[in-house]
Amino acid sequence: MLAVVGYGSLDELVADAVPDAIREDVGRRTALPPAATEDQVIARLRELAAQNRVVPSMIGLGYYDTLTPGVIKRNVLENPAWYT
């Protein structure tokens, strides 16, 4: 297929098709930090979880005394296909 489109190798095709700005440097891609132990991962996840803020739930507040049309109740709220 490469010969049909005028290239001698896949590298030549990629060099012409993929712009330098978005081409990935293989050396940079494989430079990963060393693997963490399970204890280190758990500790890091706990640090991240400690940054969460617990706020009161506002789900359903402000929707009292409203009329939900029967067609909505029947076809959306009471239809198990929407919540299973």
Side-chain angles (χ1 to χ4, degrees):
M1 283 193 269
L2 288 170
V4 171
V5 292
Y7 291 97
S9 71
L10 186 59
D11 290 332
E12 290 177 22
L13 175 64
V14 170
D16 282 348
V18 179
D20 291 335
I22 63 170
R23 196 171 305 149
E24 186 173 9
D25 181 16
V26 176
R28 188 179 60 197
R29 180 184 63 192
T30 57
L32 297 174
T37 66
E38 184 177 355
D39 291 333
Q40 291 170 329
V41 171
I42 291 171
R44 178 64 180 138
L45 289 173
R46 287 195 174 136
E47 287 175 18
L48 291 173
Q51 295 175 12
N52 289 340
R53 287 186 310 129
V54 179
V55 295
S57 174
M58 300 292 182
I59 294 175
L61 297 179
Y63 291 101
Y64 55 90
D65 292 334
T66 59
L67 176 64
T68 303
V71 68
I72 299 296
K73 281 186 188 177
R74 210 170 28 257
N75 294 319
V76 176
L77 301 177
E78 296 173 355
N79 184 348
W82 289 99
Y83 57 82
T84 57

